[in-house]
Amino acid sequence: MPWLDLLLGFTLCVTAGLALIARDMFRAVIMFIVFGLLMAVAWVRLQAPDIALAEAAIGAGLTGVLLLDTLGYLRRPFGSRVDNPEDRS
Amino acid sequence: MSGAISGYLVFAWSGVLLFGLGLFGFIAHRHIVRRLLAFNIMGSGVFLVLVGLAQDGRGVDPVPHAMVITGIVVAVASTALALVVFRRWYRASGRTDLPEDT
Amino acid sequence: MTEQRHAVDRASRVGVYLLRLGILLAVWWIVSGSHSDWWFGLPLAMVAAALSLWLAPPARFLLRPHQIPQFAGFFLWQSLLAGWDVAKRTLNPALPLQPEILRLPMALPPGAPTWWLMLTITLLPGTLSVRLNQQHVLEVHCLDARLDVAGSVRDTEAHLARLFGVQLGPTEAGPRQ
Amino acid sequence: MNGLLETVALLLLVTLVLGLIRIWRGPTIADRMLAAQLFGTTGVGLLLVLAELQQIAALRDVALVLALLAVMAVLAFVARVWRRHPEDGTEEDPPA
Amino acid sequence: MILRAVFAGLLCLGVTVALGWAVLERPAPVENLPERVAAAMPESGVEHPITAVLLNFRSYDTLLEIAVLLLAVVVALALREAQPDRPEQMGLDNPLLRAVMAWLLPLMLVVAGFLLWAGAHQPGGAFQAGSVLAAAGVLLRLAGVTADWLDNAVLVRAGLALGLLTFLGIGMLVMLPGVPFLTYPAAHAGTLILVIELTLTLSIGLTLLSLFRLNPPYADDPDDARAQEAPKP
Amino acid sequence: MIGLWSLPLLFALPLALGILSLLAAPAWRPRLIFIGLPLMAAASLDTLAGLVTAGPQVYRLGDWIAPLGINLVVDGLAVGMILMTTLVTGLCALYARVYLRNHPTSTSFFWPLLWFLWTGMNGIWLAEDIFNLYVGLEVMGLAAVGMVALRATPPALAAAMRYLLAALLGSLAYLLGVALLYSAYGTLSMAGLQEAATSNATTQVALALIIVGLLLKTALFPLHAWLPPAHGGALTPVSALLSALVIKASFYILLRMWLMLGPEVTPDFTAGLLGVLGAGAVFYGGWMAWRQHHLKQLVAYSTVAQVGYLFLFFPLVTNTGPEAARLAWDGTLMMLFAHALAKAALFLSAGNLILAVGSPQISHLIGISRFRPMSLFSFGLAGVSLMGLPPSGGFTGKWLLLHSALLSGQWWWLIVLFLGGLLSAAYIFKVFRMSFREGPQIDRSVTPPLTLDVVALLLAASAILIGLTAHVPLHWLRLGMAFGAV
Amino acid sequence: MILIELLQALLLLAGVGFFLVGTLGILRFPDVYTRVHALTKADNLGLGLIVFGLLLGAGSVPVALKLLLVWGLALIASATAGYLVARAARRRGVRPWRARNWENG
């Protein structure tokens, strides 16, 4: 059994799902960037280095930056209630 | 479908799931950026199906690879265009979703 | 007078340009592998070298090639220690951390040596450069204040000074917490 | 050798999955960003191992591109997202 | 809202199941396109099958794809002109960052060039090279380095159009002997494809960068540019 | 080989002009049409001449044979669409040149977008490769979205956003269908698929995805929500182009897909379902159009309704006799062409009326009949075709469909045709009633430039004319492989 | 030969181990600054060990140098990223976490 591929496919679905259900926008975008990175690895497993190159530059790079830039534009108080776990209690 | 599952087919199945998940996100969410994320995830799912299915049992096929590269370019262009329009819309209206979508 | 200086400047620019061109050609050779085409690589490296010159005009500091192996050895050993240190702390159930932010005046001259220092100490055991202010004082976050952080930073500074062939400036001894 | 490489690749992927927890838990956005940066480095390692495993030299180029662009997301984050409110000067992430 | 989620869930479940069914029941294809590609490779002018498909066998798709990319920029330009913006927000003007960029960017340029050159015989090509180029530009902006020529609208537009115009021009020029559009003569196919790829790389890089730049930016955070490395009281 | 030069010009020329007009100074952008329009007209007519003299042709791009390379197909249907595109786009361009003078310079980006749109549409009409169709759809779709957003007002931006999301979803569904088809048959060429395709789950799911994706882009009844804001809110020439041509592109692909695969591989109820949805669109669209208070919204909802008629094609050609199928083919295409011309005319004349009274509200049209008889006349002429009154193109189309329905025994579609006509009459007369009513005196009616009125009148007159001379275009349209079965 | 393979295996596994440690560190460490430590140190050592492990099996000099180049770039990237995040955190006034028994506060 191709365990590596199975785990990769599973992780892809998990990151995609998390990116979609995250309530915090920033969390969703970071999950999406990670998803892009995993897609690049998936293309490698599919013997498609050309697509992996494109995905690495685009999916994990430019699209992520565009989305982050948009988040900065939205200027919302992004999640994160505390900076210091000490203060959490 | 006999014998062991090939690695390619695993990704085709992941692609199917990704498309389903993305479709759910695309319909269920109202925030435009989230819908764009969902769109991109759906797109990735389609690309995985395209390459994974075509290669299953037949080996590497350059034609879907080229198609996926084209598809990625189109997806990037669409996403970027959508973000441009979205930012204008956000600046003009202060909303992150579309008006009738409440 | 000014013309003369100009000429000197230009000569040094050409020198720096050629140096960077050489480095970039080496990179081209590394990247493109066994069957590299020089007719494509050379113009490309020339453009890239010009870009590099535009981004970073010739600096006063040059690496001394013969010092590189020694510095590399120091760096590799220290990063091994750094990884080991973090691993020990992570795997210890008690999580023995006593973080602190220290302020260390820099002895290295401003410019490339300082940048190298800031990047290097971030990779070295227990230290992380946080901020450099206009008085040339570096804020360092350390993982465990019980270690001799200032000492190891000074050590790194000495190594870098040798690498760049510069004199260390005067600093007050010890951290100024 | 291939068995070893495959194990290494699998373990690296497991590491990635563990890293997902930090992205999900946060608690600050900077932590999420750091975990994503970690993903980048691990991904580079994974690609290099896969290049050896699958005998595709071009995968090293993919790793190279990934390493070159690794700093971009963090930079975009620091420069564009994690900043003060321009209007009132308040922090977006108040320390509790 | 809940109704909407339930509806979406059911729909997606249905679609996924249908897709799964389609995947399971799929017949084995008769046509073998990879074989045809392999057979036609000697006439394509390049050694890498994907580049051959993208820029020779199915180059018409690529031509239209570049048009899509350009279109996005046209819309961004139009919207920008419709609502003029405050000065563009640059990035983080940090000296260390600049020093790192000064080393990183020439490397990126070399790697982009390599990807372009590699496209002829191994993975790589205009689009990948263009994306790396664009990423270099984005990094430059995020590191707060200004490039005056990017504010020169005419120059930028010429750069945007260059790739597509060259592609189109070559596609039309080769028709002179009386062959269909985009039929490269086998002897010169390699050179023509390289010229197309070279110009496409520049245009794609500039296009992607423009898509990043033309998003309406917010005005400078005064606190960001000036107080960079000032000591904290 | 026909049109060796003129055929690639059909998409290469607008692409080149699009780039040039992007490079040109804003003032020069509209002037490019004086080079472009004659050339495009010549290329289109040359293609028609080639078709008529040499019959249908296949053009092999890059000189590669089909599954490897991309083929273009030149048959009656494709050439018909090309000619209609040239006519409508050309007239809309003339209209826009005058219309946009009073708009901010940022709207001069209309011109590059127009040329790109034209490239995309001609690319679609000629395409024979299903992936190439996807790329063509994207070119056209993004250009259309850009045109909607051109106004940059909040409603326009929201409409553009909604349109974009719908278009993207539609394209992805289409692309997934293409992926499934490729995995099952290993080819992207329509001819190859037609040969190889068999009825099995993969083909059915793929076709279902393709159909749903295209329905979304065509804005058939339950999937129409994006259309009224986009078409009703855009600049007038943009509305005309979108309603007349752009939604026809996805219908056109659907038509070709159906003729290629549909009846053989889909379950029997599919065609009926499409017909029912079409009927729903006719009723719902007509009803909603009648309820609108904004003139352009009314016209936009009228598009939702009129699209419905086109979908009667599917039940009428599936499992019916050859004569009924031929009539349905003729009727549907006649409806398509008549609607394209009439809807463009309706939008343009509505735009003229809005210019005249300075308000988009229908209630503000009171008494306009005395000031702007010509605009109102074009509006009415186009309305005649939409209602399906003789001697318009709409009438001919409906008449042919009616015969086809009777011949195939599916009499229930007659109700749709009849009630649809009544609803169209209701909303057209709603506008007329208002304009002929004598209300409080308006004396500040603006006189729009003559060109605007002339262009609208020309289009409206063509919608009538095409009904009178229907047999000529219908003969050309039957040329070729598209409907070889009949 | 067998010795080299053994060494390679050792290096690769150690590399993975450090990646795991780095990830655990990011999970366990209490605040942004300490997590940057985990990120920059353990991970780069992990990547370094993997690179050296692969280096032993690299067929040619350019390949070996390319591996080193990738590692160098990753080093620069994570050092820069770590510095940027730490600096931004400091400028925003994020206070470093302190151990409870640390009385010098």
Side-chain angles (χ1 to χ4, degrees), chain A residues 20 22-23 58 69-70 73, chain B residues 29 34 55 76 87 90-91:
Chain A
L20 290 175
R23 270 192 290 118
I58 291 295
D69 201 28
T70 309
Y73 192 69
Chain B
H29 282 309
R34 282 175 201 277
Q55 292 189 348
V76 165
R87 285 177 159 208
Y90 177 73
R91 197 167 88 166

Side-chain angles (χ1 to χ4, degrees), chain E residues 81-163:
Chain E
E81 216 168 288
Q83 290 176 0
D85 285 301
R86 286 174 287 182
E88 186 174 1
Q89 194 230 356
M90 296 299 289
L92 207 61
D93 190 12
N94 178 302
L96 173 60
L97 190 60
R98 256 193 107 120
V100 171
M101 288 304 144
W103 277 105
L104 213 52
L105 286 173
L107 281 183
M108 288 179 90
L109 193 62
V110 170
V111 169
F114 159 69
L115 289 176
L116 164 66
W117 167 84
H121 39 79
Q122 70 191 68
F127 179 59
Q128 288 88 341
S131 338
V132 173
L133 217 54
V138 169
L139 274 179
L140 210 58
R141 297 200 86 72
L142 287 176
V145 182
T146 39
D148 294 336
W149 64 273
L150 270 180
D151 297 326
N152 182 340
V154 177
L155 205 62
V156 169
R157 280 179 200 182
L160 288 172
L162 175 71

Side-chain angles (χ1 to χ4, degrees), chain A residues 34 44-45 69 80 82-83, chain D residues 24 28 32 39 54 80 93:
Chain A
V34 169
V44 167
R45 294 300 297 166
D69 201 28
S80 59
V82 281
D83 269 330
Chain D
W24 187 253
T28 66
R32 300 183 209 281
F39 264 64
Q54 297 178 226
R80 295 286 162 95
D93 250 357

Side-chain angles (χ1 to χ4, degrees), chain B residues 19 23 26 32 35 39 42-43 46-47 50 53-54 61 63-64 67 74 78 81-82 85-86 88-89 92 98 100-101, chain F residues 131 134-135 138 142 145 149 154 157-158 160-162 164-165 168-169 172-173 175-176 178-180 182-183 186 188:
Chain B
F19 187 84
L23 186 61
F26 198 90
I32 292 167
R35 298 180 85 172
F39 159 73
M42 276 170 86
V46 174
F47 300 151
L50 182 55
L53 273 193
D61 183 349
V63 178
M67 280 157 69
V74 170
S78 319
L81 172 62
V85 176
F86 167 67
R88 297 283 169 184
W89 162 246
L98 287 172
E100 292 104 292
D101 272 5
Chain F
F131 185 72
Y134 165 75
V135 186
E138 291 289 353
L142 292 197
V145 168
L157 291 171
M161 197 69 227
R162 185 182 296 278
L164 180 59
L165 290 176
L168 291 180
L169 193 60
L172 275 187
L175 188 62
L176 187 56
V178 171
L180 288 178
Y182 183 76
S183 79
L188 296 165

Side-chain angles (χ1 to χ4, degrees), chain A residues 3-4 7-8 11 14-15 18 21-22 24 26-27 30-31 34 37-38 41 44-45 47 49 52-53 56-57 60-62 65 68-69 71-72 75-83 87-88, chain D residues 6 9-10 13-14 16-17 20 23-24 27-29 32-33 36 39-40 43 46-47 50 53-54 56 58-59 61-62 65-66 69 72-73 76-77 80-81 85-87 92-96:
Chain A
W3 289 111
L4 188 60
L7 181 60
L8 186 53
T11 318
V14 169
T15 40
L18 292 181
I21 62 168
D24 178 23
F26 185 79
R27 195 190 291 188
I30 292 290
M31 277 292 170
V34 169
L37 207 122
L38 288 172
V41 180
V44 167
R45 294 300 297 166
Q47 312 276 335
L53 268 173
L62 287 173
V65 170
L68 282 176
D69 201 28
L71 283 197
R75 247 190 260 132
R76 289 207 332 218
F78 296 108
S80 59
R81 291 125 325 258
V82 281
D83 269 330
D87 305 334
R88 202 185 298 174
Chain D
E6 215 167 319
L10 198 64
L13 207 55
V14 172
L16 284 187
V17 176
L20 282 182
I23 298 188
W24 187 253
T28 66
I29 53 178
R32 300 183 209 281
M33 200 64 234
F39 264 64
L46 184 55
L47 285 172
L50 287 178
L53 178 66
Q54 297 178 226
I56 304 179
L59 294 190
D61 303 334
V62 183
V65 168
L66 213 56
L69 304 189
M72 200 158 77
F77 163 72
R80 295 286 162 95
V81 182
H85 265 305
E87 281 87 18
E92 279 162 23
D93 250 357

